[in-house]
Amino acid sequence: MSCAQTHLHKVELETKDYKTEAKPFWCPGCGDHGVLTGMYRALADIGVDPNYLVNISGIGCSSRLPYFVRSYKMHTLHGRAGPVATGVQLARPDLAILVNGGDGDGFSIGGGHMPHLARKNINMTYVLMDNRVYGLTKGQVSPTSQRQMKAYTTPYGGVEEPLDPVLYMLTYGASFVAQTLATNVKMTAQLIKEGMEHRGFSFISVLSQCPTFNVIDDAKSFKGSAEELQENHDVGDIDAAMHAVNVAHKNGKIPVGLLYRQERATLDERMADLVKQAGGHPDYDLHKIIDLSRP
Amino acid sequence: MNKNDLIIRVAGEGGEGIISTGDFITQACARAGLEVYTFKTFPAEIKGGYAMYQTRASAAPLFNQGDTFDILCAFNGEAYDLNRSRLRPGTAFVYDGPGGDFEPDVPEGVHAYAIPMTQTARQLGSIKAKNMVALGALSQLFSIPEQPLREIIAAKFTKKGTTVLESNLNAFTRGRELAAALPKTDPWKMEASAQKRDVVVLSGNDAIGLGALIAGLDFFAAYPITPATEIARYVARHLPKRGGTLIQAEDEIASLAQVLGASFAGKKAMTATSGPGLALMGEMLGMSFMSETPCVVVDVQRGGPSTGLPTKHEQSDLFMAIHGSHGDCGRIVLSVEGVSDCIALTVEAFNLAEKYQCPVLLLSDGSLAFSTQTVPYPEPADYPIVARKSWDGKGDYQRYVITDDYISPMAAPGTPGGMHIATGLEHDQNGEPNYTGANHEAMQAKRFRKLDTVVNDVAPVEVDGEGNADIGIIAWGSTIGVVREAIARLRADGHSVKGFYPKLLWPMPVEQYEAFAATCGKIMLPEVNYLGQLAHFIRAETSLRPVSYTICGGLPFTPAMIVGKTKEMLS
């Protein structure tokens, strides 16, 4: 595996240089402020050139984030940030791709795309901002909401089991899986940095409290449940990663830290090999292709 | 009928080599300097079911699949039953017998030739060679050029080893011998053209792939769907040679999403699908229009609605192509007549998408998808290529700045100072969200007014005929080719008829429709759908009141049908 980080064009900038003039529109106390701060730090720590950074989101409270990050960016459709980002990445492997979005965006309406981003190992960093509720539509249960949650459309309490995004991404074959809390800006920044430096599909789940609509999971309860991975946790062992998540579940805990990292070829690298094998070149003579259709 | 205009239909069970037999005939005729136009139907299932391949060959240009066959070759009883009603005095009929699964009651006047295809193939040791026995017999009976056929058979089977090749060539020779022993009673004979033409033989789907390569395609994303998948197959084979990227997406929503991502990144990108896929892309088409991100979407139409008739012909996606997506959503819609258009209009679709920064839909259809046709050798340099308007790097960049022509320069990632957001939210000229009424009105006007010049940017609509006529026929898609021939026949019968063949379906060249109608007594509009979709738009946008002639039986029109309807309207 080459160590060349061709997808990270670097410059020397400070965190403030990644801020735009737009002020975040999130509620006071929203975890998304913390995710954004962590993201600024990660970008500055790496020194990502904003001209070569593409920040892509879908729809939801957290999907407004690109407006606050100095970069090229796309604010796409609900659930579709992943495939749009795939197109950008495959077309231009020299770009750094940063995707962010919520739990409904990524695991309900966009849930069909997640396995393919992971198994194809598209070189991007996907930051899930999981508040376990639909915020922009004023508080409905999401696929990660705890079952008993009373909400807008569940006045008698929810009846569905939640899913665990981290467990899904491990199963789907993501080559980098981590989890952190929005209140832990330092860890969030560190994991986003590592995720962006990783060549492949990096998934970072950030539990990001919604003080307005989620009355079950607040900053305090997230902190109380968080449990750092053991110091001897082997990030190269998929079984260890699954085991850590399952044990935490049983104990009502949220595992935080880097769960899993695997070095494997990205889709764009495999495609580049294909082109190489075909002797591919933009100036390849079209007549040679057309001649194949002579009778 | 002109003896140099022959139609051979080979029919039987899917998997018996029907399609390859038809391909051999087609390629041999093209090699012999003839024009070909083929028509196929096959079942939606992989194994079994009725399959049919029809080759029309002529020394003169061909525009459609013709009325009906002159020669039928039936591999089994089902093929015979399904085609028996079309046998008429003079038709030549070749069938598997004795030893086949049926005994035909040949209608009077039909020239029947019994060739023991199954029996002979068994004797030669391979039932798989049944179609080669048939091909040999057809070649002998109707003078399908033997030498080109042998060359094509060799080219196809050499890589499978000498045993396979020999076995096929033996079966072919045996077929010729069996036919030579029968007295020829029909008049049909393929005559090689003296004229040497520089042509290629392509299906509609392959030609769209080629057109995209000529246009400079960089990125292709698609999800498998009948009858569009061959476009992806062609592109997958050849795009890597040009250094481009193809991805098979997880669904059609993702296909178009990936295309928009690649286009934002500065690349020429397209997807190809059929009706069900286009339905899924509706929301993303709106994103393309709103964020002014160029994309080309090919829709190879099939029978609908819902899963419908996946392998059958229909022209019924026009409503969706023109207005599918929520809100007021503009786009450009083109439709192809034949294989030649599949190349030229795919290039045009890219040019328009890149110039106008909006979705461009290209409509093809199920029969054209698989129809192979001879077209003049496409010289890539003959197709003009248009690039998108790029930011010159001067001053402060505004992605959605309102310019004189309403088209804003684009900046691809990596351009210093060109950072911006492409967004589906209503936005101001900087891309910042803005929901004020005044801004929405101004930006909608910007996105629509840039399209005002599209009508003048493409070739004027072809008008077939001059002066005034009793009846004018408007047609779109592959129906145009049928109408061309019908009009020629009507004129030969002394009728006064004109044709109008739009390829740009949206925006509508309203003035050209009006000018055409002013020269015609009545207007007729044949289209293969139930509702009369183009007629609907014409009634909405122009003063014309066309008489709709619609069919939706899974098959295209024939020239005879158009001639019949026109005569009915004239009387």
Side-chain angles (χ1 to χ4, degrees):
Chain A
M1 178 63 54
S2 154
C3 294
Q5 301 288 348
T6 54
H7 66 295
L8 290 177
H9 290 254
K10 296 190 183 179
V11 288
E12 286 218 4
L13 292 174
E14 295 172 37
T15 51
K16 66 172 172 57
D17 298 322
Y18 292 95
K19 293 182 183 174
T20 60
E21 284 167 20
K23 286 276 165 283
F25 82 141
W26 301 307
C27 306
C30 173
D32 292 354
H33 293 286
V35 182
L36 180 60
T37 306
M39 202 172 274
Y40 288 143
R41 274 194 211 169
L43 292 169
D45 281 355
I46 301 169
V48 180
D49 183 346
N51 285 308
Y52 288 86
L53 171 65
V54 186
N55 185 187
I56 299 167
S57 67
I59 297 296
C61 286
S62 56
S63 288
R64 282 298 181 91
L65 184 139
Y67 288 96
F68 318 126
V69 178
R70 246 185 95 233
S71 66
Y72 279 88
K73 46 211 168 188
M74 297 183 83
H75 182 210
T76 71
L77 303 180
H78 198 21
R80 315 301 169 204
V84 172
T86 300
V88 179
Q89 201 282 326
L90 293 176
R92 291 280 304 276
D94 61 318
L95 301 172
I97 313 290
L98 181 57
V99 177
N100 66 277
D103 36 301
D105 190 64
F107 285 86
S108 190
I109 190 167
H113 304 303
M114 299 308 285
H116 309 287
L117 302 172
R119 72 181 177 87
K120 294 183 184 187
N121 204 24
I122 312 293
N123 188 17
M124 66 173 76
T125 301
Y126 192 116
V127 179
L128 174 71
M129 297 155 77
D130 183 3
N131 58 7
R132 300 184 173 178
V133 73
Y134 284 91
L136 204 54
T137 46
K138 299 185 169 43
Q140 298 78 34
V141 290
S142 89
T144 56
S145 297
Q146 293 195 52
R147 193 181 69 195
Q148 67 272 28
M149 190 160 94
K150 282 192 184 177
Y152 203 88
T153 51
T154 49
Y156 308 109
V159 289
E160 299 167 5
E161 290 297 327
L163 61 76
D164 184 346
V166 162
L167 202 49
Y168 268 88
M169 298 320 292
L170 288 169
T171 310
Y172 290 153
S175 60
F176 181 105
V177 181
Q179 185 153 259
T180 175
L181 304 186
T183 46
N184 189 343
V185 174
K186 194 179 160 197
M187 185 189 271
T188 300
Q190 179 60 27
L191 289 172
I192 293 175
K193 177 176 182 277
E194 286 179 37
M196 292 195 74
E197 285 170 344
H198 172 75
R199 264 197 86 81
F201 183 73
S202 307
F203 180 79
I204 299 144
S205 158
V206 190
L207 289 150
S208 177
Q209 73 280 359
C210 172
T212 308
F213 295 111
N214 192 332
V215 292
I216 299 179
D217 300 301
D218 54 17
K220 206 173 142 194
S221 70
F222 279 148
K223 265 188 214 164
S225 311
E227 193 170 70
E228 289 209 20
L229 294 167
Q230 293 183 346
E231 268 187 24
N232 63 353
H233 174 72
D234 181 358
V235 297
D237 183 349
I238 186 75
D239 292 335
M242 296 269 201
H243 186 69
V245 177
N246 285 324
V247 168
H249 273 195
K250 270 184 202 158
N251 301 328
K253 297 289 185 186
I254 299 168
V256 294
L258 176 56
L259 282 156
Y260 183 63
R261 179 167 54 204
Q262 179 199 33
E263 296 292 326
R264 83 169 194 264
T266 59
L267 191 65
D268 66 281
E269 287 168 344
R270 290 189 179 168
M271 283 177 168
D273 283 349
L274 246 163
V275 168
K276 214 171 167 184
Q277 280 168 29
H281 195 274
D283 297 330
Y284 185 91
D285 187 3
L286 272 174
H287 294 96
K288 285 197 220 166
I289 295 170
I290 301 170
D291 288 346
L292 297 171
S293 298
R294 287 185 190 274
Chain B
M1 177 178 267
N2 180 357
K3 275 212 258 174
N4 280 330
D5 184 349
L6 266 192
I7 303 176
I8 301 184
R9 174 175 290 199
V10 183
E13 170 120 345
E16 277 195 307
I18 303 296
I19 301 299
S20 55
T21 306
D23 269 338
F24 286 131
I25 294 170
T26 303
Q27 293 287 336
C29 290
R31 253 185 215 206
L34 297 169
E35 296 259 338
V36 293
Y37 193 116
T38 75
F39 174 60
K40 306 164 201 178
T41 63
F42 41 85
E45 293 73 26
I46 296 299
K47 284 278 174 199
Y50 172 70
M52 179 279 280
Y53 190 127
Q54 183 172 295
T55 304
R56 184 180 188 187
S58 170
L62 293 171
F63 303 104
N64 58 67
Q65 79 281 5
D67 289 325
T68 187
F69 51 82
D70 306 302
I71 299 157
L72 172 70
C73 176
F75 276 42
N76 64 11
E78 186 189 18
Y80 175 65
D81 291 342
L82 286 170
N83 289 289
R84 190 184 181 282
S85 66
R86 292 179 178 227
L87 296 174
R88 60 199 193 286
T91 309
F93 171 51
V94 182
Y95 66 98
D96 182 17
D101 71 346
F102 70 113
E103 201 49 62
D105 51 331
V106 181
E108 208 171 311
V110 171
H111 306 276
Y113 302 94
I115 301 289
M117 305 172 191
T118 305
Q119 213 175 64
T120 308
R122 284 228 172 83
Q123 283 163 5
L124 293 170
S126 171
I127 186 64
K128 276 190 180 170
K130 177 178 174 180
N131 66 330
M132 285 298 142
V133 179
L135 185 64
L138 292 171
S139 151
Q140 170 69 35
L141 284 166
F142 310 109
S143 309
I144 302 167
E146 182 184 359
Q147 204 42 43
L149 272 175
R150 286 188 181 277
E151 290 162 14
I152 296 161
I153 294 168
K156 169 139 179 173
F157 291 109
T158 300
K159 50 182 176 278
K160 294 193 174 175
T162 40
T163 322
V164 176
L165 174 61
E166 297 267 303
S167 144
N168 279 287
L169 284 174
N170 282 345
F172 176 78
T173 306
R174 188 72 193 117
R176 285 188 65 89
E177 289 164 5
L178 287 164
L182 301 173
K184 178 158 168 92
T185 56
D186 71 87
W188 309 120
K189 194 167 178 283
M190 200 72 77
E191 276 167 25
S193 169
Q195 203 186 334
K196 265 289 161 206
R197 302 160 206 253
D198 193 16
V199 297
V200 290
V201 180
L202 283 165
S203 69
N205 278 350
D206 285 358
I208 287 171
L210 175 58
L213 293 178
I214 292 173
L217 175 74
D218 295 303
F219 184 91
F220 184 98
Y223 184 76
I225 187 167
T226 303
T229 315
E230 293 70 24
I231 299 172
R233 178 184 64 180
Y234 187 90
V235 172
R237 190 174 164 207
H238 300 301
L239 187 59
K241 298 176 189 171
R242 301 271 288 172
T245 302
L246 174 138
I247 183 169
Q248 182 171 309
E250 55 269 27
D251 57 41
E252 287 90 348
I253 298 172
S255 306
L256 189 51
Q258 289 163 350
V259 163
L260 294 190
S263 181
F264 172 82
K267 304 291 186 178
K268 286 190 178 179
M270 81 184 280
T271 183
T273 187
S274 186
L278 184 61
L280 288 178
M281 292 175 187
E283 191 186 11
M284 203 56 75
L285 287 173
M287 164 97 194
S288 165
F289 178 68
M290 187 61 135
S291 66
E292 305 193 49
T293 308
C295 68
V296 173
V297 178
V298 175
D299 172 15
V300 186
Q301 301 166 92
R302 67 190 218 185
S306 191
T307 311
L309 299 79
T311 60
K312 300 292 188 205
H313 173 89
E314 213 165 86
Q315 305 176 271
S316 54
D317 288 347
L318 192 60
F319 284 160
M320 179 165 61
I322 289 179
H323 285 320
S325 199
H326 55 281
D328 294 319
C329 177
R331 77 282 307 273
I332 297 168
V333 181
L334 301 169
S335 95
V336 294
E337 173 188 350
V339 169
S340 186
D341 271 356
C342 287
I343 303 172
L345 293 188
T346 301
V347 179
E348 178 102 65
F350 273 97
N351 287 344
L352 292 169
E354 295 293 315
K355 175 167 179 183
Y356 290 97
Q357 301 176 21
C358 72
V360 177
L361 287 90
L362 182 73
L363 297 177
S364 179
D365 62 54
S367 62
L368 188 51
F370 305 110
S371 172
T372 41
Q373 299 167 22
T374 34
V375 294
Y377 189 91
E379 177 50 50
D382 293 346
Y383 297 87
I385 306 295
V386 175
R388 61 179 67 170
K389 194 194 264 188
S390 281
W391 181 50
D392 59 10
K394 290 178 189 155
D396 287 337
Y397 180 58
Q398 282 191 298
R399 169 63 186 97
Y400 299 111
V401 66
I402 298 176
T403 61
D404 289 347
D405 59 5
Y406 302 96
I407 299 170
S408 319
M410 294 185 79
T415 310
M419 280 180 277
H420 66 274
I421 189 157
T423 175
L425 268 185
E426 184 54 287
H427 46 267
D428 62 17
Q429 297 183 53
N430 286 315
E432 293 300 323
N434 187 324
Y435 315 136
T436 63
N439 180 72
H440 182 48
E441 288 186 340
M443 295 306 279
Q444 277 291 69
K446 170 206 191 294
R447 290 183 291 261
F448 276 103
R449 292 197 66 181
K450 72 178 175 182
L451 301 176
D452 285 350
T453 52
V454 171
V455 165
N456 304 322
D457 236 4
V458 303
V461 179
E462 180 187 343
V463 176
D464 182 353
E466 285 170 7
N468 291 326
D470 295 335
I471 194 159
I473 305 178
I474 298 175
W476 66 285
S478 60
T479 304
I480 293 172
V482 183
V483 169
R484 284 183 196 278
E485 185 165 336
I487 287 180
R489 288 189 206 169
L490 285 159
R491 286 198 189 120
D493 287 352
H495 296 292
S496 157
V497 193
K498 281 175 83 173
F500 186 76
Y501 309 136
K503 308 278 170 82
L504 171 68
L505 297 182
W506 199 262
M508 279 183 100
V510 172
E511 287 170 15
Q512 297 177 46
Y513 278 94
E514 298 288 355
F516 174 72
T519 65
C520 301
K522 293 176 179 174
I523 300 284
M524 195 247 280
L525 203 171
E527 51 188 323
V528 187
N529 59 55
Y530 186 82
L531 291 169
Q533 299 193 7
L534 181 59
H536 169 94
F537 284 111
I538 290 173
R539 289 185 200 109
E541 300 289 324
T542 73
S543 68
L544 279 64
R545 291 294 173 268
V547 174
S548 259
Y549 174 26
T550 61
I551 56 169
C552 60
L555 295 171
F557 281 104
T558 62
M561 292 165 82
I562 306 292
V563 168
K565 180 73 179 179
T566 310
K567 285 184 175 170
E568 188 189 306
M569 278 179 68
L570 283 169
S571 65

